[in-house]
Amino acid sequence: MVSIISFRNINKLAVPAIISGIAEPILSATDTAIVGNISIHGTESLAAVGIVGTFLSMLIWILAQTRSAISAIISQYLGAGKLEEVKTLPAQAIVFNVGLSIVILLTTVPFIREIFIVLKAKGVVLDYCISYYSIRVWGFPLTLFTFAIFGIFRGLQNTFWPMVVALIGVASNIILDILLVYGIEGLIHPMNLEGAAWASLISQAFMAVISFILLLKKTTVSLRLKRPWHPEMNRFLIMSGNLFIRSLALNATLILAVREATSLGTNYVAAHTIAMQLWLFFAFFIDGYGSAGNILGGKLLGAKDYKNLVVMAKKVNLYGIIVACILGGFSLMFPEQLGLIFTKDPDVLLIFKSFFFLVVIVLPINALAFVGDGIFKGLGETGFLRNVLVGSTLFGFIPALFLSVEYDLKIHGIWIAITVWMLIRGLALVAKFRNKYFRLAKT
């Protein structure tokens, strides 16, 4: 059992997980970079992508939490040597998840304008939000289906095939973005912002189809729906419900942040959009070690191997912090170059460079939170994760944001509030793991 927590094995899981994990932020970042450089209304398009991206990420993250529940249950059964007993669960879980996503999709589409007015979009930015969202939203169930299959692969200790799917999705999105946004003279008419939306939607469809084929070809898991209701579906729903509430709190933070940035003006929300795209990229990059912790944590818990569970947790946290420091150091050296990827607007870049250091210096703290989240999901500790996220939002982020508005700290205040939020999350997870699992490792 010791070999599964070796440096080689952890990175064998983590590196492909990093690549597959950053697929979604890269898809969004590609849209952001491409439309931010449109010659006409580029800044307004950039702002619209940021606002819509935040709302869509909220929907995806809320329902994609079932991926972690599926992964945790499968990995725990694998560790206990009882994988055959859970073979009918994945199909039931995926049908439930995708069905719920379709219901939510159909209930948001009639209220697109009202949703983005609440997020303080107006004028040209509001019009762009509506046209962009009206296309991209149909990829929502496709993404959730793909993520659920990723969860099955991860439960089976396999992050390689999700990586392959993610690379295909990213490559197709970049190619389609260039073709559809800018067009090809005499062949494809430039579609501007709507072209970026279609590029993302088509790429999501590619990923869903390829994921389905790989699941059938590379595993023994069947997606044929069978009765009766699997006994673990109750635990799956409880875990998913806890993570659902957790994601509501998480996305309340992101939406309040983008809403406050929007109220400051178009240039501010454009700069905030760039910072948030990079923040999400860093988060998903570091979360590769969280995924390794999720996968191995579930298996070690199923085997009741608490000593190696503690050793594994120390290792993946250390690796996550090292990666965070590398990313942070690189970013501090090239802030202007990173901003120029997304926009050439000097006013937006000036605002971005003024606060970007706040995004970067907190990355090691973020690593504790992101990796800890992954470990606790694998352990099935979703109730505690729910409480930490809700508590850090209500008693950390919101009061800090209120004070930043009170003292007119503008965009700096928003990111100070996010820093407070992440600090509370990271420290709470470390304290809980030490108090519970260090004690179990000594028995």
Side-chain angles (χ1 to χ4, degrees):
M1 187 65 74
V2 175
S3 64
I4 76 165
I5 60 169
S6 66
F7 175 84
R8 179 179 178 181
N9 193 61
I10 288 173
N11 282 281
K12 183 180 178 182
L13 294 171
V15 173
I18 288 170
I19 296 171
S20 62
I22 63 177
E24 181 61 27
I26 286 180
L27 288 175
S28 296
T30 302
D31 284 359
T32 304
I34 295 292
V35 303
N37 287 285
I38 294 172
S39 58
I40 301 175
H41 296 305
T43 300
E44 289 82 358
S45 296
L46 179 60
V49 168
I51 296 168
V52 173
T54 298
F55 182 70
L56 269 178
S57 293
M58 177 194 73
L59 294 179
I60 290 169
W61 286 356
I62 286 173
L63 293 183
Q65 297 305 315
T66 52
R67 169 184 59 180
S68 297
I70 294 171
S71 175
I73 293 171
I74 291 176
S75 61
Q76 288 171 22
Y77 270 77
L78 181 65
K82 300 178 179 178
L83 188 60
E84 188 66 19
E85 295 180 14
V86 78
K87 65 180 182 180
T88 62
L89 177 66
Q92 295 175 357
I94 289 175
V95 168
F96 171 82
N97 194 46
V98 173
L100 183 59
S101 75
I102 292 172
V103 171
I104 292 177
L105 182 156
L106 294 176
T107 56
T108 61
V109 169
F111 304 103
I112 296 174
R113 176 174 291 274
E114 290 76 11
I115 288 169
F116 295 116
I117 288 175
V118 169
L119 294 177
K120 293 194 173 182
K122 56 186 177 182
V124 174
V125 174
L126 176 60
D127 293 337
Y128 283 176
C129 283
I130 293 169
S131 63
Y132 183 67
Y133 181 82
S134 297
I135 298 167
R136 270 212 66 182
V137 69
W138 299 102
F140 177 44
L142 298 172
T143 296
L144 293 176
F145 176 78
T146 302
F147 280 5
I149 292 179
F150 283 7
I152 295 171
F153 274 113
R154 289 182 179 186
L156 296 172
Q157 317 291 288
N158 186 323
T159 56
F160 176 77
W161 292 116
M163 177 191 71
V164 171
V165 174
L167 288 174
I168 292 171
V170 169
S172 62
N173 189 72
I174 292 172
I175 294 169
L176 288 169
D177 255 333
I178 295 170
L179 293 177
L180 299 180
V181 173
Y182 298 138
I184 298 177
E185 189 173 351
L187 291 176
I188 301 175
H189 182 72
M191 297 175 67
N192 297 315
L193 184 62
E194 290 188 355
W198 279 111
S200 293
L201 176 58
I202 295 168
S203 298
Q204 288 165 322
F206 282 162
M207 292 172 69
V209 171
I210 295 167
S211 297
F212 178 67
I213 293 171
L214 286 173
L215 186 72
L216 295 180
K217 297 290 186 181
K218 301 297 180 180
T219 76
T220 58
V221 175
S222 171
L223 291 187
R224 183 177 298 172
L225 196 60
K226 294 182 180 179
R227 302 177 70 179
W229 189 264
H230 194 282
E232 284 288 5
M233 273 297 291
N234 292 330
R235 183 158 73 109
F236 167 80
L237 293 175
I238 292 171
M239 291 172 66
S240 298
N242 287 330
L243 293 173
F244 181 92
I245 295 169
R246 175 183 179 275
S247 292
L248 286 176
L250 187 153
N251 284 285
T253 297
L254 300 182
I255 286 177
L256 287 172
V258 78
R259 186 175 184 271
E260 183 59 30
T262 304
S263 71
L264 296 173
T266 300
N267 287 340
Y268 280 96
V269 73
H272 177 78
T273 296
I274 296 170
M276 185 54 68
Q277 290 293 345
L278 291 169
W279 188 88
L280 290 171
F281 176 83
F282 297 150
F284 282 95
F285 201 106
I286 296 167
D287 192 53
Y289 287 98
S291 296
N294 178 303
I295 293 164
L296 296 174
K299 187 173 183 179
L300 290 166
L301 180 67
K304 301 188 186 305
D305 188 354
Y306 301 114
K307 287 185 173 62
N308 279 314
L309 175 60
V310 169
V311 174
M312 180 276 298
K314 289 179 179 178
K315 286 184 176 182
V316 293
N317 272 292
L318 176 61
Y319 300 156
I321 290 171
I322 291 171
V323 168
C325 290
I326 293 171
L327 289 171
F330 177 84
S331 299
L332 285 176
M333 289 190 293
F334 304 105
E336 183 165 359
Q337 288 79 359
L338 289 173
L340 284 168
I341 294 172
F342 299 94
T343 185
K344 302 297 188 294
D345 188 314
D347 294 330
V348 175
L349 287 171
L350 185 64
I351 295 169
F352 169 73
K353 288 188 292 182
S354 75
F355 72 88
F356 184 56
F357 71 95
L358 290 170
V359 181
V360 173
I361 61 174
V362 76
L363 283 177
I365 296 295
N366 291 0
L368 288 176
F370 298 144
V371 175
D373 281 347
I375 294 171
F376 274 85
K377 287 175 183 177
L379 299 175
E381 295 263 13
T382 56
F384 179 72
L385 288 174
R386 175 201 63 207
N387 294 341
V388 168
L389 219 303
V390 172
S392 62
T393 300
L394 292 179
F395 305 112
F397 175 78
I398 291 177
L401 185 65
F402 175 80
L403 288 173
S404 77
V405 174
E406 187 72 17
Y407 288 96
D408 196 29
L409 297 179
K410 296 187 174 8
I411 196 80
H412 292 78
I414 295 172
W415 283 93
I416 290 171
I418 292 174
T419 298
V420 171
W421 180 61
M422 294 302 301
L423 182 63
I424 294 172
R425 289 174 58 187
L427 294 179
L429 293 172
V430 170
K432 171 71 173 181
F433 190 88
R434 290 183 63 87
N435 289 338
K436 181 173 182 178
Y437 293 97
F438 275 49
R439 187 179 297 114
L440 286 171
K442 293 177 181 178
T443 58

